[in-house]
Amino acid sequence: MSIRFRRSLHTLLPALALLVSYSEAAASTINQNASWTIDRAGTSTKYRSVAYGDSIYAGFNGSVTSAAKYAAPTVNAEYLSAQWGTDIESVRRTKSGAIAEDVYNNKIVAERSYMQASNTRVVTFEMCGNDGLQARASFKSQTGTCNYSGLTAAENSCKKYVTAAMDYINANAYAGVKLKVISNLHYPGYAVDNVQSTCKDAATGATVKMQDKFLPALARMNFMMCDVARQKGFQCADNFAQYMGADYDSNGDGRIDAEGLRYVSGESEASYVNRLTSALRSTIRDANTHFVSSSSSYDYIQSDDTHPTYNGSTFSSGLFGSTTGSGAPRYTTFSGGKSPIWNQYGHERIGWAVSTYNPATP
C-alpha cells in the first residue's frame, strides 16, 4: 500500500507543481485538447473541423484541468452542422500559455495528423496573443529609459510563425479542406492600459501612455494576419473589430462601429493602422463592456481580463485528461445566420465570426 501511494504521489507532484507555476507565471503552458462532436439528429455523416491555437481556442477558464465546452471552435461546429445537415467533429489541439513559435511547432506541425484526416473540411488557428501579453508585461515592469525591443520582437515572431503556419497548413492539410481561417487578436485590458508607463521615452524624456504604444503594435500584428491570409488563401476572422467595436453606429459616420474597425481586403498597413489608432480610435471600447446597442452591453472578457466569456458548461481538458464526446446541438437552425446569443459572450462572437466564411456545402 505504501509503495503504491509513493508511486501515485510521484506521478501527481509534477502536475501540482505545474498548477502552481501556471498561476504564478504567464509563460507557463499546458496542453488543453478536446474533441466534441455535434451529433445532429437524422444523419450519420460526420465531417471534421480542426482548430489549433493557445488558450483562446482552448476555452481557458482559469483551470488547468477543464475548459469551456462551447469555445469558439465548437460554436462554429454548430453553425457548420446546421448549414450542412451533418454531424461535425470539433477537434481542438491547443496549448494555453503558448507563444506563436510553440503553437506552430508543437501543435500545427507536431499534430498535423488531425487536419490530414479525409473527413476534415475546416482548419482554423490563432496565435500571437501570448507573444503580445509577455511583451506588454515586460514593458510595464520597466523603469528608467523605455526599451521597445520586446514589442518589436513580438511583432516579428508573430509574422514569422503566422506565415509559416499558413504555408504548412496549405502543404499538409487534407486536399478536400474547404475552408482555412485565422482568428486575429482582441485587446485584453484596453481600459487598464489607459495609464502612463513607469519608464521614460529616450527622445522626449517623458513617460508614455501604454495604450499609445500597445495599440499600434497590436494593429500591425492584426493587419499582418489578415493580409497574409489574403495572400495565402485563408480567411481572416477579425476578432479585434468584433470585440472592440460596438454593434451600433456610435459616432454617426453611417457605419456600425464593429464594421468600421474591420480589416478591408487589400488595404495598406498605413490605412488600417491609422483607422484604429486615429480616425476611429474614439469608437474602440474595452471588451468588458461590449455594446450591442446604445443602452445594452455584454461582458466579453472573464474576470482575468484576458480570456473570452462563454455559455454553458465545462469539460475535462488539461492535466488530468481531455474530453472526447458528443452531444446534440444547442441550436439546430440559425435565423439570419446567427444564434440567439451570438453577440452575448466572447466565444460565441468568435465562433460566429469564423462561421461567416463557412462554405455552403462540405
Side-chain angles (χ1 to χ4, degrees):
M1 181 68 71
S2 62
I3 294 175
R4 185 178 302 166
F5 174 78
R6 284 196 296 270
R7 287 176 177 170
S8 299
L9 185 62
H10 178 75
T11 301
L12 185 59
L13 281 175
L16 293 175
L18 184 53
L19 279 168
V20 173
S21 67
Y22 193 89
S23 66
E24 292 178 347
S28 299
T29 60
I30 178 70
N31 281 299
Q32 292 198 285
N33 303 314
S35 174
W36 188 260
T37 297
I38 306 300
D39 188 4
R40 191 174 185 84
T43 181
S44 59
T45 302
K46 181 169 67 175
Y47 295 104
R48 172 181 284 186
S49 175
V50 181
Y52 298 102
D54 52 38
S55 58
I56 303 300
Y57 270 4
F60 185 75
N61 68 338
S63 169
V64 294
T65 61
S66 69
K69 179 183 291 186
Y70 290 103
T74 304
V75 171
N76 182 52
E78 284 191 319
Y79 283 103
L80 285 168
S81 177
Q83 190 163 352
W84 294 351
T86 67
D87 297 340
I88 300 293
E89 179 190 21
S90 172
V91 175
R92 301 182 215 168
R93 307 306 298 182
T94 56
K95 193 172 187 180
S96 290
I99 59 174
E101 180 180 11
D102 196 354
V103 173
Y104 172 72
N105 285 319
N106 295 311
K107 288 299 173 183
I108 294 173
V109 174
E111 301 188 4
R112 59 189 175 275
S113 63
Y114 292 93
M115 63 175 162
Q116 292 175 327
S118 61
N119 66 337
T120 304
R121 292 297 181 273
V122 176
V123 179
T124 180
F125 77 98
E126 52 81 27
M127 58 171 59
C128 300
N130 289 301
D131 301 69
L133 288 172
Q134 290 180 26
R136 181 175 72 170
S138 177
F139 181 81
K140 284 185 172 183
S141 68
Q142 291 184 23
T143 57
T145 302
C146 295
N147 183 343
Y148 305 123
S149 63
L151 294 173
T152 302
E155 289 185 52
N156 292 339
S157 180
C158 182
K159 182 175 183 178
K160 175 180 178 179
Y161 289 105
V162 163
T163 303
M166 290 185 189
D167 287 340
Y168 195 86
I169 291 169
N170 281 338
N172 289 275
Y174 173 62
V177 165
K178 292 290 188 72
L179 176 66
K180 302 164 189 172
V181 185
I182 184 172
S183 288
N184 74 8
L185 305 173
H186 64 282
Y187 187 155
Y190 181 72
V192 173
D193 285 347
N194 191 29
V195 295
Q196 297 300 118
S197 64
T198 52
C199 62
K200 295 182 179 181
D201 184 83
T204 66
T207 59
V208 297
K209 183 185 288 188
M210 293 187 186
Q211 266 187 9
D212 291 346
K213 293 306 299 183
F214 301 147
L215 181 59
L218 182 66
R220 288 190 293 268
M221 291 166 76
N222 279 343
F223 171 83
M224 176 275 299
M225 291 186 201
C226 291
D227 200 55
V228 174
R230 176 185 63 83
Q231 298 172 49
K232 295 184 178 293
F234 278 67
Q235 299 295 337
C236 182
D238 193 338
N239 294 325
F240 182 91
Q242 302 296 342
Y243 272 51
M244 313 301 292
D247 293 328
Y248 75 100
D249 180 7
S250 72
N251 64 344
D253 67 353
R255 294 178 296 179
I256 291 172
D257 290 359
E259 289 298 314
L261 293 172
R262 284 184 63 181
Y263 163 82
V264 177
S265 182
E267 72 178 315
S268 68
E269 180 187 85
S271 171
Y272 176 82
V273 172
N274 178 69
R275 252 190 313 121
L276 269 60
T277 61
S278 181
L280 297 179
R281 175 77 173 266
S282 64
T283 68
I284 296 176
R285 307 280 185 85
D286 192 289
N288 276 295
T289 311
H290 179 89
F291 281 89
V292 297
S293 70
S294 60
S295 59
S296 180
S297 67
Y298 293 99
D299 190 350
Y300 276 18
I301 307 293
Q302 295 178 44
S303 59
D304 63 5
D305 208 23
T306 300
H307 295 95
T309 52
Y310 57 91
N311 171 256
S313 60
T314 62
F315 54 28
S316 176
S317 179
L319 284 176
F320 301 141
S322 299
T323 293
T324 299
S326 63
R330 298 170 299 170
Y331 308 102
T332 56
T333 60
F334 296 94
S335 177
K338 296 176 179 177
S339 84
I341 58 173
W342 74 281
N343 63 355
Q344 296 180 21
Y345 300 90
H347 275 292
E348 297 291 329
R349 189 60 177 251
I350 301 176
W352 171 79
V354 173
S355 82
T356 61
Y357 300 109
N358 287 342
T361 62

